[in-house]
Amino acid sequence: MRRVLLSLLALLLTAVAVPALSVPMAVPARAVVAGTITGAVTVPAGYDVRAVQVFATTTAAPTGISPGNGTWVQPDGTFEITGLAAGTYHLAFGTYWSDMNPCSYGRDRWWTSPGVATGTCNAGTLSGAGTVTITDGVATALGTTPLLTEFPAHHYSGRAVAAPGRSVAGVQVELWGASDGAWNIPGDWYRLDSVPTRTLTTSGSFGFDLPTLPNGLRLALRFVAPGGSDYVFSFADSGLTGATTGAGGVPFGSGAVGLTVLPLAANADTDLGTRTLKTATTHVSGGVTITGAPEWGRTLSAHSDVVWGDAGVGTVLQWLRNGVVIDGLTGPELVLDGLDDGWEVELSVRAVPDGFHAWTGAPVESAPVVVVNTTPFGAVAPVVTGTPSVGRALTASPGLWRPTVATYSYGYQWLRDGAPIPGATAATYPLGAGDVGRRFAVEVTASRPADAGASNPWFTGPGTARSAATDAVTPAALPPGTVRAWPARKPPRRKAEVATRVRVSRPALSPDAAALGVRVDYQWYAGKRVVRGATGRALKVRKTFRGSVVAVRVTVSAPGHLPQTRTIRFGRP
Protein backbone atom coordinates (compact mmCIF):
# COMPACT_ATOMS: atom_id res chain seq x y z
CA MET A 1 0.00 0.00 0.00
CA ARG A 2 2.87 2.41 0.91
CA ARG A 3 4.63 1.69 -2.40
CA VAL A 4 1.42 2.49 -4.35
CA LEU A 5 1.02 5.84 -2.55
CA LEU A 6 4.63 6.82 -3.39
CA SER A 7 4.10 5.98 -7.07
CA LEU A 8 0.94 8.10 -7.24
CA LEU A 9 2.78 11.01 -5.57
CA ALA A 10 5.59 10.85 -8.21
CA LEU A 11 3.08 10.90 -11.06
CA LEU A 12 1.37 13.94 -9.53
CA LEU A 13 4.69 15.86 -9.26
CA THR A 14 5.52 15.05 -12.87
CA ALA A 15 2.20 16.35 -14.04
CA VAL A 16 2.76 19.66 -12.23
CA ALA A 17 6.41 20.16 -13.59
CA VAL A 18 5.69 19.73 -17.32
CA PRO A 19 3.66 22.94 -17.78
CA ALA A 20 6.54 24.93 -16.13
CA LEU A 21 9.03 23.70 -18.77
CA SER A 22 6.73 24.75 -21.62
CA VAL A 23 6.87 28.46 -20.66
CA PRO A 24 8.64 30.39 -23.54
CA MET A 25 12.32 31.44 -22.72
CA ALA A 26 13.75 34.90 -23.49
CA VAL A 27 16.03 34.88 -26.68
CA PRO A 28 19.35 36.76 -26.18
CA ALA A 29 20.15 39.65 -28.60
CA ARG A 30 22.18 38.62 -31.71
CA ALA A 31 25.92 39.51 -31.41
CA VAL A 32 27.31 42.20 -33.82
CA VAL A 33 29.45 40.54 -36.47
CA ALA A 34 32.55 42.74 -37.21
CA GLY A 35 33.65 43.65 -40.74
CA THR A 36 36.95 42.94 -42.49
CA ILE A 37 39.20 44.75 -44.97
CA THR A 38 41.40 42.64 -47.24
CA GLY A 39 43.85 43.60 -49.93
CA ALA A 40 47.40 43.36 -51.19
CA VAL A 41 50.30 45.71 -51.81
CA THR A 42 53.24 45.67 -54.17
CA VAL A 43 56.63 47.32 -53.54
CA PRO A 44 59.77 47.85 -55.64
CA ALA A 45 62.22 44.99 -55.96
CA GLY A 46 64.61 44.98 -53.03
CA TYR A 47 62.11 46.36 -50.52
CA ASP A 48 60.75 43.67 -48.21
CA VAL A 49 56.97 43.76 -48.43
CA ARG A 50 56.77 42.51 -44.85
CA ALA A 51 57.99 45.95 -43.78
CA VAL A 52 54.63 47.49 -44.68
CA GLN A 53 52.04 48.13 -42.00
CA VAL A 54 48.37 48.87 -42.74
CA PHE A 55 46.32 51.09 -40.43
CA ALA A 56 42.54 51.58 -40.44
CA THR A 57 40.99 54.59 -38.72
CA THR A 58 37.45 55.93 -38.69
CA THR A 59 36.67 58.99 -40.72
CA ALA A 60 35.52 60.64 -37.48
CA ALA A 61 39.09 60.54 -36.17
CA PRO A 62 41.25 60.13 -39.28
CA THR A 63 44.64 60.68 -37.68
CA GLY A 64 43.92 59.10 -34.33
CA ILE A 65 46.34 56.23 -34.84
CA SER A 66 49.95 55.72 -33.86
CA PRO A 67 52.85 53.63 -35.19
CA GLY A 68 52.85 50.01 -34.07
CA ASN A 69 49.11 49.35 -33.88
CA GLY A 70 48.55 48.37 -37.49
CA THR A 71 48.49 45.06 -39.33
CA TRP A 72 51.67 43.76 -40.94
CA VAL A 73 51.57 42.70 -44.58
CA GLN A 74 52.22 39.01 -45.19
CA PRO A 75 55.23 37.76 -47.21
CA ASP A 76 53.00 37.32 -50.27
CA GLY A 77 51.91 40.99 -50.05
CA THR A 78 48.39 40.36 -48.71
CA PHE A 79 46.84 41.85 -45.60
CA GLU A 80 43.64 41.47 -43.60
CA ILE A 81 42.26 43.82 -40.96
CA THR A 82 39.52 42.23 -38.89
CA GLY A 83 37.26 43.28 -36.04
CA LEU A 84 36.09 46.54 -37.62
CA ALA A 85 32.70 47.90 -36.62
CA ALA A 86 30.35 48.98 -39.39
CA GLY A 87 31.15 52.48 -40.65
CA THR A 88 33.51 54.41 -42.91
CA TYR A 89 37.29 54.24 -42.62
CA HIS A 90 40.51 55.65 -44.01
CA LEU A 91 43.42 53.31 -44.68
CA ALA A 92 47.09 54.26 -44.20
CA PHE A 93 50.26 52.41 -45.26
CA GLY A 94 53.38 52.69 -43.13
CA THR A 95 56.83 51.99 -44.62
CA TYR A 96 60.48 52.43 -43.73
CA TRP A 97 60.46 55.83 -45.42
CA SER A 98 57.73 57.13 -43.15
CA ASP A 99 59.15 55.40 -40.05
CA MET A 100 55.83 53.50 -39.95
CA ASN A 101 54.22 56.82 -39.03
CA PRO A 102 50.79 57.33 -40.70
CA CYS A 103 51.19 61.10 -40.38
CA SER A 104 54.78 61.74 -41.36
CA TYR A 105 54.95 65.14 -43.07
CA GLY A 106 54.01 63.87 -46.50
CA ARG A 107 56.20 60.74 -46.48
CA ASP A 108 53.22 58.52 -45.55
CA ARG A 109 50.65 57.19 -48.04
CA TRP A 110 46.89 56.76 -47.60
CA TRP A 111 44.56 54.65 -49.73
CA THR A 112 42.76 56.85 -52.25
CA SER A 113 40.94 54.47 -54.59
CA PRO A 114 41.45 50.96 -55.99
CA GLY A 115 45.06 50.69 -57.06
CA VAL A 116 45.92 54.24 -55.90
CA ALA A 117 47.47 55.47 -52.63
CA THR A 118 48.30 59.17 -52.97
CA GLY A 119 46.72 60.55 -49.79
CA THR A 120 49.08 62.19 -47.29
CA CYS A 121 49.00 63.49 -43.76
CA ASN A 122 50.93 66.59 -42.81
CA ALA A 123 50.91 68.09 -39.30
CA GLY A 124 47.67 66.29 -38.47
CA THR A 125 45.84 67.32 -41.64
CA LEU A 126 44.74 64.52 -43.97
CA SER A 127 44.37 65.20 -47.68
CA GLY A 128 43.65 63.05 -50.72
CA ALA A 129 42.52 59.99 -48.76
CA GLY A 130 39.60 57.88 -49.91
CA THR A 131 37.04 56.13 -47.69
CA VAL A 132 36.21 52.47 -47.23
CA THR A 133 32.72 51.49 -46.07
CA ILE A 134 32.51 48.51 -43.73
CA THR A 135 29.29 46.49 -43.55
CA ASP A 136 28.62 44.26 -40.59
CA GLY A 137 29.82 40.74 -41.28
CA VAL A 138 31.15 41.54 -44.75
CA ALA A 139 34.73 41.40 -46.02
CA THR A 140 35.61 44.43 -48.14
CA ALA A 141 38.28 43.66 -50.73
CA LEU A 142 40.41 46.59 -51.90
CA GLY A 143 42.45 44.77 -54.52
CA THR A 144 46.15 45.49 -55.05
CA THR A 145 47.74 48.84 -54.20
CA PRO A 146 51.24 49.70 -55.50
CA LEU A 147 53.40 51.53 -52.93
CA LEU A 148 56.65 53.51 -53.09
CA THR A 149 56.19 54.08 -56.80
CA GLU A 150 57.64 57.59 -56.48
CA PHE A 151 61.06 56.15 -55.67
CA PRO A 152 62.96 55.56 -58.90
CA ALA A 153 64.97 52.41 -59.34
CA HIS A 154 68.74 52.72 -59.71
CA HIS A 155 70.97 50.23 -61.44
CA TYR A 156 73.60 48.50 -59.30
CA SER A 157 76.05 46.76 -61.56
CA GLY A 158 79.44 45.13 -61.52
CA ARG A 159 81.57 42.40 -62.95
CA ALA A 160 83.12 39.21 -61.64
CA VAL A 161 86.46 38.06 -63.03
CA ALA A 162 88.76 35.09 -62.57
CA ALA A 163 92.29 34.12 -63.49
CA PRO A 164 93.16 33.92 -67.20
CA GLY A 165 91.83 30.72 -68.68
CA ARG A 166 89.14 30.33 -66.04
CA SER A 167 85.44 31.17 -66.33
CA VAL A 168 82.89 32.73 -63.99
CA ALA A 169 79.96 31.36 -65.99
CA GLY A 170 77.37 29.65 -63.79
CA VAL A 171 78.15 31.66 -60.67
CA GLN A 172 74.89 32.79 -59.08
CA VAL A 173 74.35 36.22 -57.53
CA GLU A 174 71.61 36.40 -54.88
CA LEU A 175 70.12 39.47 -53.21
CA TRP A 176 70.00 39.34 -49.42
CA GLY A 177 68.68 41.83 -46.90
CA ALA A 178 69.18 42.71 -43.26
CA SER A 179 67.66 45.31 -40.98
CA ASP A 180 68.00 46.67 -37.49
CA GLY A 181 65.58 43.96 -36.35
CA ALA A 182 62.56 46.28 -36.25
CA TRP A 183 59.36 46.46 -38.27
CA ASN A 184 58.58 42.81 -38.87
CA ILE A 185 61.73 41.69 -40.70
CA PRO A 186 64.73 39.77 -39.33
CA GLY A 187 67.70 41.53 -37.88
CA ASP A 188 70.15 39.12 -39.52
CA TRP A 189 70.79 38.44 -43.19
CA TYR A 190 68.03 36.66 -45.10
CA ARG A 191 67.37 35.83 -48.73
CA LEU A 192 65.08 38.22 -50.63
CA ASP A 193 63.25 35.61 -52.66
CA SER A 194 61.18 38.27 -54.42
CA VAL A 195 64.25 39.28 -56.46
CA PRO A 196 65.36 36.64 -58.97
CA THR A 197 68.89 35.27 -58.77
CA ARG A 198 71.26 36.37 -61.53
CA THR A 199 73.36 33.67 -63.17
CA LEU A 200 76.63 34.93 -64.61
CA THR A 201 77.68 34.30 -68.17
CA THR A 202 81.25 34.32 -69.43
CA SER A 203 81.20 38.15 -69.38
CA GLY A 204 80.83 38.12 -65.59
CA SER A 205 78.53 41.15 -65.65
CA PHE A 206 75.65 41.43 -63.19
CA GLY A 207 73.06 44.07 -62.33
CA PHE A 208 70.06 44.80 -60.15
CA ASP A 209 67.50 47.61 -60.41
CA LEU A 210 66.72 48.66 -56.83
CA PRO A 211 65.26 51.69 -55.03
CA THR A 212 67.26 53.97 -52.79
CA LEU A 213 67.91 52.07 -49.58
CA PRO A 214 66.33 53.53 -46.44
CA ASN A 215 68.31 53.86 -43.23
CA GLY A 216 68.19 50.70 -41.16
CA LEU A 217 67.93 48.41 -44.17
CA ARG A 218 70.95 46.83 -45.85
CA LEU A 219 71.19 44.82 -49.02
CA ALA A 220 74.04 42.53 -50.03
CA LEU A 221 74.93 40.37 -52.99
CA ARG A 222 75.89 36.77 -52.26
CA PHE A 223 77.99 35.01 -54.90
CA VAL A 224 77.64 31.22 -55.05
CA ALA A 225 79.81 29.08 -57.32
CA PRO A 226 78.27 26.13 -59.18
CA GLY A 227 78.79 22.62 -57.88
CA GLY A 228 82.20 21.16 -58.57
CA SER A 229 83.88 24.58 -58.72
CA ASP A 230 87.17 25.05 -56.86
CA TYR A 231 86.57 28.72 -56.18
CA VAL A 232 86.87 29.56 -52.47
CA PHE A 233 85.63 32.47 -50.38
CA SER A 234 87.37 35.34 -52.14
CA PHE A 235 86.04 38.74 -51.05
CA ALA A 236 83.78 40.55 -48.58
CA ASP A 237 83.29 44.03 -47.20
CA SER A 238 81.49 45.95 -44.46
CA GLY A 239 82.70 43.54 -41.79
CA LEU A 240 81.27 40.43 -43.45
CA THR A 241 83.28 37.21 -43.50
CA GLY A 242 82.89 33.65 -44.62
CA ALA A 243 81.68 32.87 -41.09
CA THR A 244 78.81 35.41 -41.14
CA THR A 245 75.52 33.58 -40.65
CA GLY A 246 72.04 34.46 -41.79
CA ALA A 247 68.81 34.74 -39.85
CA GLY A 248 68.01 31.55 -37.99
CA GLY A 249 71.51 30.24 -38.66
CA VAL A 250 70.97 29.69 -42.39
CA PRO A 251 74.19 29.73 -44.48
CA PHE A 252 75.22 33.19 -45.67
CA GLY A 253 79.00 33.51 -45.74
CA SER A 254 79.31 29.76 -45.59
CA GLY A 255 78.92 28.26 -49.06
CA ALA A 256 79.52 31.60 -50.74
CA VAL A 257 82.57 32.73 -52.71
CA GLY A 258 81.99 36.40 -52.00
CA LEU A 259 79.76 38.97 -50.28
CA THR A 260 79.24 42.61 -51.31
CA VAL A 261 77.13 45.11 -49.37
CA LEU A 262 75.36 47.69 -51.51
CA PRO A 263 76.10 51.32 -50.57
CA LEU A 264 73.50 53.22 -48.59
CA ALA A 265 71.74 56.30 -49.98
CA ALA A 266 72.87 55.63 -53.54
CA ASN A 267 70.63 58.10 -55.35
CA ALA A 268 72.07 57.27 -58.75
CA ASP A 269 73.21 54.30 -60.79
CA THR A 270 76.12 52.68 -58.97
CA ASP A 271 79.08 50.80 -60.39
CA LEU A 272 80.14 48.23 -57.81
CA GLY A 273 83.39 47.61 -59.62
CA THR A 274 85.13 44.29 -60.16
CA ARG A 275 85.01 41.30 -57.87
CA THR A 276 87.71 38.65 -58.26
CA LEU A 277 87.01 34.94 -57.79
CA LYS A 278 90.00 33.05 -56.43
CA THR A 279 91.35 29.59 -55.84
CA ALA A 280 93.09 28.41 -52.70
CA THR A 281 96.78 28.58 -51.97
CA THR A 282 98.77 27.45 -48.94
CA HIS A 283 100.71 29.33 -46.29
CA VAL A 284 104.28 28.03 -46.18
CA SER A 285 105.95 30.30 -43.64
CA GLY A 286 106.36 33.80 -42.28
CA GLY A 287 104.21 36.34 -40.54
CA VAL A 288 103.43 40.02 -40.12
CA THR A 289 104.67 42.61 -37.62
CA ILE A 290 103.83 46.24 -36.85
CA THR A 291 106.31 48.96 -35.93
CA GLY A 292 105.83 52.60 -34.99
CA ALA A 293 104.41 54.39 -31.99
CA PRO A 294 100.72 53.45 -31.58
CA GLU A 295 99.74 57.01 -30.74
CA TRP A 296 96.91 58.95 -32.31
CA GLY A 297 98.19 61.06 -35.19
CA ARG A 298 101.32 58.97 -35.77
CA THR A 299 102.02 56.36 -38.44
CA LEU A 300 102.21 52.57 -38.12
CA SER A 301 104.23 50.43 -40.51
CA ALA A 302 103.59 46.79 -41.39
CA HIS A 303 106.26 44.27 -42.37
CA SER A 304 105.73 40.82 -43.91
CA ASP A 305 107.99 37.87 -44.67
CA VAL A 306 105.13 35.55 -45.63
CA VAL A 307 105.76 32.86 -48.22
CA TRP A 308 102.76 31.32 -50.02
CA GLY A 309 102.59 27.89 -51.59
CA ASP A 310 102.15 29.02 -55.19
CA ALA A 311 105.12 30.50 -57.02
CA GLY A 312 104.97 34.19 -57.74
CA VAL A 313 102.16 34.94 -55.27
CA GLY A 314 102.78 38.21 -53.48
CA THR A 315 101.25 39.60 -50.31
CA VAL A 316 98.69 42.33 -49.73
CA LEU A 317 98.75 43.88 -46.26
CA GLN A 318 95.17 44.37 -45.08
CA TRP A 319 94.55 46.51 -41.98
CA LEU A 320 91.94 45.63 -39.36
CA ARG A 321 90.31 47.73 -36.67
CA ASN A 322 89.10 45.87 -33.59
CA GLY A 323 89.40 42.64 -35.55
CA VAL A 324 87.26 43.86 -38.49
CA VAL A 325 88.73 44.46 -41.95
CA ILE A 326 88.93 48.16 -42.84
CA ASP A 327 87.52 48.25 -46.36
CA GLY A 328 89.97 49.59 -48.93
CA LEU A 329 92.80 50.12 -46.44
CA THR A 330 95.78 48.09 -47.61
CA GLY A 331 99.48 48.82 -47.80
CA PRO A 332 102.56 49.00 -45.60
CA GLU A 333 101.53 52.12 -43.67
CA LEU A 334 98.54 53.28 -41.68
CA VAL A 335 98.25 56.93 -40.67
CA LEU A 336 96.26 57.18 -37.44
CA ASP A 337 94.31 60.22 -38.51
CA GLY A 338 90.60 59.40 -38.34
CA LEU A 339 88.09 59.58 -35.53
CA ASP A 340 88.17 55.79 -35.37
CA ASP A 341 91.95 55.66 -34.94
CA GLY A 342 92.22 56.83 -31.31
CA TRP A 343 90.72 56.10 -27.91
CA GLU A 344 92.29 52.68 -27.36
CA VAL A 345 91.24 51.23 -30.70
CA GLU A 346 92.94 47.93 -31.49
CA LEU A 347 94.72 47.70 -34.83
CA SER A 348 96.30 44.76 -36.59
CA VAL A 349 97.38 43.80 -40.10
CA ARG A 350 96.68 40.63 -42.07
CA ALA A 351 98.72 39.07 -44.86
CA VAL A 352 96.52 38.18 -47.85
CA PRO A 353 97.65 36.51 -51.09
CA ASP A 354 97.45 38.86 -54.04
CA GLY A 355 96.10 38.20 -57.49
CA PHE A 356 93.86 35.20 -58.06
CA HIS A 357 94.67 33.25 -54.90
CA ALA A 358 93.11 33.15 -51.44
CA TRP A 359 94.13 31.67 -48.12
CA THR A 360 91.22 30.06 -46.24
CA GLY A 361 93.10 28.81 -43.19
CA ALA A 362 93.69 30.64 -39.92
CA PRO A 363 94.40 34.31 -40.75
CA VAL A 364 98.06 35.29 -40.93
CA GLU A 365 97.93 38.38 -38.73
CA SER A 366 100.19 40.54 -36.61
CA ALA A 367 99.77 40.93 -32.90
CA PRO A 368 97.34 43.82 -32.30
CA VAL A 369 98.49 47.19 -31.03
CA VAL A 370 96.32 49.47 -28.92
CA VAL A 371 96.32 53.15 -29.86
CA VAL A 372 96.61 55.70 -27.08
CA ASN A 373 95.87 59.41 -27.11
CA THR A 374 98.95 61.42 -26.14
CA THR A 375 99.58 64.83 -27.71
CA PRO A 376 98.82 66.26 -31.15
CA PHE A 377 101.44 65.25 -33.69
CA GLY A 378 103.17 67.77 -35.92
CA ALA A 379 103.13 65.90 -39.22
CA VAL A 380 104.45 68.90 -41.18
CA ALA A 381 106.72 71.36 -39.37
CA PRO A 382 105.75 75.02 -38.99
CA VAL A 383 107.06 77.31 -41.72
CA VAL A 384 108.47 80.84 -41.41
CA THR A 385 107.88 83.11 -44.42
CA GLY A 386 109.06 86.62 -45.14
CA THR A 387 112.35 88.24 -46.10
CA PRO A 388 114.88 88.12 -43.24
CA SER A 389 115.83 91.75 -43.52
CA VAL A 390 115.60 94.68 -41.11
CA GLY A 391 112.26 96.42 -41.35
CA ARG A 392 110.51 93.35 -42.67
CA ALA A 393 108.26 90.97 -40.72
CA LEU A 394 108.47 87.20 -40.43
CA THR A 395 105.22 85.21 -40.39
CA ALA A 396 104.66 81.74 -38.95
CA SER A 397 102.25 79.14 -40.29
CA PRO A 398 101.35 76.42 -37.77
CA GLY A 399 102.18 73.47 -40.02
CA LEU A 400 100.02 70.35 -40.31
CA TRP A 401 98.85 68.57 -37.19
CA ARG A 402 97.33 65.15 -36.83
CA PRO A 403 94.76 63.92 -36.23
CA THR A 404 93.34 66.38 -38.75
CA VAL A 405 89.80 65.73 -37.45
CA ALA A 406 90.61 67.75 -34.33
CA THR A 407 90.18 71.49 -33.89
CA TYR A 408 93.32 73.19 -32.58
CA SER A 409 94.30 76.50 -31.10
CA TYR A 410 97.90 77.55 -31.74
CA GLY A 411 100.49 79.36 -29.68
CA TYR A 412 103.75 80.82 -31.01
CA GLN A 413 107.18 81.43 -29.50
CA TRP A 414 109.88 83.10 -31.63
CA LEU A 415 113.49 82.03 -31.23
CA ARG A 416 116.61 84.11 -32.01
CA ASP A 417 119.62 81.88 -32.64
CA GLY A 418 117.71 79.11 -30.84
CA ALA A 419 116.89 81.14 -27.71
CA PRO A 420 113.31 82.24 -26.88
CA ILE A 421 112.65 85.94 -27.34
CA PRO A 422 110.72 87.26 -24.32
CA GLY A 423 107.28 88.49 -25.31
CA ALA A 424 107.55 87.38 -28.95
CA THR A 425 104.43 85.20 -28.99
CA ALA A 426 102.45 86.50 -31.96
CA ALA A 427 102.20 84.81 -35.33
CA THR A 428 104.40 87.55 -36.80
CA TYR A 429 107.73 89.02 -35.71
CA PRO A 430 109.09 92.42 -36.88
CA LEU A 431 112.81 92.45 -37.54
CA GLY A 432 114.79 95.32 -36.05
CA ALA A 433 118.30 96.70 -36.30
CA GLY A 434 119.51 94.49 -33.47
CA ASP A 435 118.56 91.37 -35.42
CA VAL A 436 121.18 91.77 -38.16
CA GLY A 437 123.18 88.59 -38.55
CA ARG A 438 120.85 86.51 -36.39
CA ARG A 439 118.75 83.50 -37.45
CA PHE A 440 115.11 83.06 -36.46
CA ALA A 441 112.76 80.11 -35.96
CA VAL A 442 109.34 79.65 -34.40
CA GLU A 443 108.00 77.00 -32.04
CA VAL A 444 104.29 76.26 -32.39
CA THR A 445 102.14 74.75 -29.66
CA ALA A 446 98.91 72.97 -30.76
CA SER A 447 96.21 72.54 -28.14
CA ARG A 448 92.66 71.28 -28.16
CA PRO A 449 90.46 74.31 -27.36
CA ALA A 450 88.83 74.16 -23.94
CA ASP A 451 85.35 74.57 -25.44
CA ALA A 452 85.88 71.68 -27.86
CA GLY A 453 85.63 68.86 -25.34
CA ALA A 454 86.69 69.92 -21.88
CA SER A 455 84.54 67.18 -20.37
CA ASN A 456 86.12 64.58 -22.65
CA PRO A 457 89.62 65.74 -23.53
CA TRP A 458 91.20 64.28 -26.63
CA PHE A 459 94.84 64.58 -25.56
CA THR A 460 97.02 64.40 -22.49
CA GLY A 461 98.53 67.79 -23.32
CA PRO A 462 99.56 70.12 -26.13
CA GLY A 463 101.94 69.20 -28.91
CA THR A 464 104.94 71.29 -29.99
CA ALA A 465 106.88 71.56 -33.23
CA ARG A 466 109.69 73.85 -34.37
CA SER A 467 110.35 75.37 -37.78
CA ALA A 468 113.65 75.45 -39.60
CA ALA A 469 115.79 78.54 -38.99
CA THR A 470 115.84 81.42 -41.44
CA ASP A 471 118.94 82.75 -43.16
CA ALA A 472 120.85 85.37 -41.24
CA VAL A 473 119.03 88.70 -41.14
CA THR A 474 120.56 91.24 -43.50
CA PRO A 475 120.60 95.05 -43.20
CA ALA A 476 117.98 96.94 -45.11
CA ALA A 477 118.54 99.63 -47.67
CA LEU A 478 118.00 103.15 -46.40
CA PRO A 479 114.49 104.33 -47.22
CA PRO A 480 114.30 106.23 -50.51
CA GLY A 481 114.70 109.95 -49.97
CA THR A 482 116.66 109.62 -46.74
CA VAL A 483 119.40 111.72 -48.41
CA ARG A 484 117.65 114.56 -50.18
CA ALA A 485 120.88 116.26 -51.30
CA TRP A 486 124.46 115.06 -51.06
CA PRO A 487 127.30 117.39 -49.94
CA ALA A 488 128.96 119.51 -52.61
CA ARG A 489 132.20 121.53 -52.93
CA LYS A 490 132.02 124.79 -51.06
CA PRO A 491 132.45 127.08 -52.86
CA PRO A 492 131.33 125.03 -55.89
CA ARG A 493 134.37 125.80 -58.08
CA ARG A 494 136.93 125.37 -55.37
CA LYS A 495 140.01 123.35 -56.40
CA ALA A 496 142.76 121.83 -54.34
CA GLU A 497 145.79 124.14 -53.91
CA VAL A 498 148.67 123.63 -51.52
CA ALA A 499 148.23 125.42 -48.16
CA THR A 500 144.53 126.11 -48.80
CA ARG A 501 141.46 124.53 -47.32
CA VAL A 502 138.86 122.60 -49.26
CA ARG A 503 135.41 122.05 -47.81
CA VAL A 504 132.05 120.32 -48.51
CA SER A 505 128.56 121.32 -47.44
CA ARG A 506 126.36 119.28 -45.14
CA PRO A 507 123.96 116.73 -46.69
CA ALA A 508 120.23 117.44 -46.68
CA LEU A 509 118.42 114.58 -44.86
CA SER A 510 114.75 113.63 -44.59
CA PRO A 511 112.76 114.39 -41.42
CA ASP A 512 112.76 110.63 -40.62
CA ALA A 513 116.53 110.41 -40.58
CA ALA A 514 116.84 111.19 -36.89
CA ALA A 515 114.38 108.44 -35.98
CA LEU A 516 116.43 106.00 -38.03
CA GLY A 517 119.58 107.01 -36.21
CA VAL A 518 121.24 108.28 -39.38
CA ARG A 519 124.81 109.51 -39.12
CA VAL A 520 127.13 111.14 -41.66
CA ASP A 521 130.85 110.29 -41.83
CA TYR A 522 133.66 111.88 -43.88
CA GLN A 523 136.98 110.46 -44.97
CA TRP A 524 139.53 112.43 -47.05
CA TYR A 525 141.89 110.82 -49.58
CA ALA A 526 144.94 111.90 -51.50
CA GLY A 527 144.80 109.62 -54.47
CA LYS A 528 144.24 106.19 -53.01
CA ARG A 529 145.88 107.09 -49.71
CA VAL A 530 143.70 107.68 -46.65
CA VAL A 531 144.52 110.97 -45.02
CA ARG A 532 144.75 109.97 -41.37
CA GLY A 533 142.65 112.02 -39.00
CA ALA A 534 140.90 113.80 -41.86
CA THR A 535 137.28 112.91 -40.97
CA GLY A 536 135.65 116.34 -41.01
CA ARG A 537 134.00 118.40 -43.72
CA ALA A 538 137.20 120.41 -44.39
CA LEU A 539 140.83 119.55 -45.24
CA LYS A 540 144.05 121.64 -45.49
CA VAL A 541 145.93 120.68 -48.65
CA ARG A 542 149.55 119.65 -48.06
CA LYS A 543 152.62 119.68 -50.30
CA THR A 544 152.67 115.90 -50.08
CA PHE A 545 149.33 115.77 -51.93
CA ARG A 546 150.92 117.16 -55.13
CA GLY A 547 150.11 114.93 -58.11
CA SER A 548 147.27 113.11 -56.27
CA VAL A 549 143.57 113.77 -56.59
CA VAL A 550 142.18 115.19 -53.38
CA ALA A 551 138.73 113.80 -52.59
CA VAL A 552 136.36 113.16 -49.72
CA ARG A 553 134.07 110.09 -49.34
CA VAL A 554 130.79 110.90 -47.56
CA THR A 555 129.01 107.94 -45.92
CA VAL A 556 125.39 108.10 -44.73
CA SER A 557 124.48 105.14 -42.48
CA ALA A 558 121.91 103.98 -39.92
CA PRO A 559 121.77 100.96 -37.60
CA GLY A 560 120.52 97.87 -39.43
CA HIS A 561 120.77 99.55 -42.82
CA LEU A 562 123.17 99.40 -45.68
CA PRO A 563 125.29 102.58 -45.91
CA GLN A 564 125.20 104.93 -48.88
CA THR A 565 128.35 106.74 -50.08
CA ARG A 566 129.23 109.58 -52.39
CA THR A 567 132.78 110.76 -53.40
CA ILE A 568 133.49 114.46 -54.09
CA ARG A 569 136.73 115.29 -55.93
CA PHE A 570 138.73 118.55 -55.83
CA GLY A 571 141.43 117.71 -58.41
CA ARG A 572 145.27 117.62 -58.14
CA PRO A 573 147.11 120.42 -56.31
Side-chain angles (χ1 to χ4, degrees), residues 89-182:
Y89 290 82
H90 294 300
L91 219 64
F93 301 98
T95 64
Y96 257 105
W97 276 278
S98 65
D99 293 334
M100 299 298 163
N101 190 340
C103 194
S104 183
Y105 298 95
R107 292 183 297 166
D108 49 280
R109 289 296 178 265
W110 293 67
W111 186 86
T112 303
S113 59
V116 179
T118 56
T120 60
C121 180
N122 195 333
T125 301
L126 186 61
S127 60
T131 59
V132 179
T133 301
I134 298 300
T135 303
D136 197 13
V138 175
T140 301
L142 299 184
T144 300
T145 304
L147 298 178
L148 306 174
T149 56
E150 65 271 37
F151 290 92
H154 299 297
H155 191 61
Y156 293 80
S157 61
R159 182 168 175 260
V161 298
R166 299 182 63 90
S167 175
V168 298
V171 172
Q172 293 188 322
V173 187
E174 305 167 345
L175 185 67
W176 286 59
S179 77
D180 50 14

Side-chain angles (χ1 to χ4, degrees), residues 335-530:
V335 179
L336 305 177
D337 190 42
L339 280 174
D340 295 330
D341 295 328
W343 285 290
E344 300 183 351
V345 67
E346 187 177 271
L347 295 169
S348 56
V349 68
R350 176 182 297 169
V352 179
D354 68 0
F356 297 100
H357 293 82
W359 165 241
T360 59
V364 182
E365 291 182 2
S366 70
V369 296
V370 178
V371 180
V372 296
N373 292 19
T374 54
T375 60
F377 174 66
V380 176
V383 175
V384 175
T385 56
T387 302
S389 179
V390 172
R392 300 293 189 92
L394 301 177
T395 300
S397 64
L400 176 64
W401 294 83
R402 289 201 303 251
T404 57
V405 292
T407 301
Y408 300 106
S409 60
Y410 300 107
Y412 302 89
Q413 175 61 64
W414 288 93
L415 310 170
R416 182 192 290 118
D417 290 339
I421 305 171
T425 56
T428 59
Y429 178 78
L431 294 170
D435 297 325
V436 173
R438 315 293 286 274
R439 298 176 184 272
F440 286 78
V442 68
E443 189 171 84
V444 176
T445 299
S447 304
R448 176 86 167 147
D451 60 353
S455 62
N456 185 21
W458 285 27
F459 305 107
T460 58
T464 58
R466 182 176 295 191
S467 73
T470 66
D471 293 335
V473 175
T474 60
L478 285 171
T482 299
V483 181
R484 292 185 171 183
W486 284 93
R489 290 185 292 185
K490 190 177 181 181
R493 297 183 181 273
R494 186 75 175 186
K495 292 186 178 181
E497 296 179 0
V498 175
T500 63
R501 284 184 176 274
V502 289
R503 177 187 303 272
V504 293
S505 61
R506 297 179 185 277
L509 303 177
S510 70
D512 299 329
L516 288 173
V518 170
R519 58 175 289 171
V520 181
D521 294 292
Y522 305 87
Q523 178 62 60
W524 290 89
Y525 293 84
K528 294 183 179 181
R529 291 178 293 128
V530 174

